[in-house]
Amino acid sequence: KWKEYSRLARVWADRLLESGVGLVANPLGRAGAPALSTVPGALPGGSYFAQVSWLDAWGNEGAASEAAAMVTQDLTQLVVTPPAAPQNACGWNVYAGATAEAMARQNDETLELGTIWTMPAEGPRAGRAASQGQGPDLYVTIQRARRRG
């Protein structure tokens, strides 16, 4: 069994290095869960879910946070406050919805660091789902050719 395991480990390691290992030039960590609160407003009471993600200077988006949940009272509006940002973050996105499965991006433009987001009187809107994290900027592959010279 050990010999078979070793053989399979070599085969899969070779396949990984041949296809390439993805690297991110400016990695953004997964955002921490946001703080939720309310302010007086026009929305009916209900359950709301929200999560946030960080953006870098080039518009790359890190993985979204765990969802935070809150039950609001009638005539209030949800307020989302992001946690402390990492040094390489330049902005953030907010995702919100009435259920965890229905959360969608709520901001059109990148939100500035240090700002909070208040749900508009229309309530949460439909949009794209949260990011699962950054894609690789480049792939590193093994070089099998020997260099001459």
Side-chain angles (χ1 to χ4, degrees):
K1 286 184 179 183
W2 182 253
K3 287 180 182 179
E4 179 63 11
Y5 171 79
S6 295
R7 185 187 70 77
L8 288 173
R10 279 192 309 276
V11 167
W12 285 105
D14 287 345
R15 286 184 183 174
L16 172 67
L17 293 173
E18 287 172 3
S19 63
V21 176
L23 299 177
V24 175
N26 186 31
L28 288 164
R30 183 177 191 179
L36 304 182
S37 59
T38 59
V39 294
L43 289 172
S47 296
Y48 292 102
F49 295 81
Q51 57 189 161
V52 298
S53 64
W54 301 121
L55 295 159
D56 68 13
W58 299 277
N60 297 316
E61 185 175 20
S65 67
E66 292 289 328
M70 181 174 204
V71 177
T72 63
Q73 303 296 319
D74 285 338
L75 300 177
T76 61
Q77 287 175 242
L78 183 70
V79 174
V80 178
T81 305
Q87 286 187 340
N88 59 338
C90 293
W92 62 289
N93 285 330
V94 62
Y95 298 87
T99 66
E101 295 77 26
M103 284 189 293
R105 184 172 166 183
Q106 300 298 305
N107 55 302
D108 291 324
E109 299 294 324
T110 299
L111 298 169
E112 292 182 23
L113 297 179
T115 62
I116 60 171
W117 177 82
T118 303
M119 186 176 287
E122 301 81 41
R125 64 181 182 178
R128 75 171 175 86
S131 169
Q132 297 301 312
Q134 294 171 270
D137 293 318
L138 66 108
Y139 287 90
V140 176
T141 59
I142 193 167
Q143 301 294 322
R144 297 245 184 231
R146 292 191 181 167
R147 296 182 183 197
R148 298 182 124 181

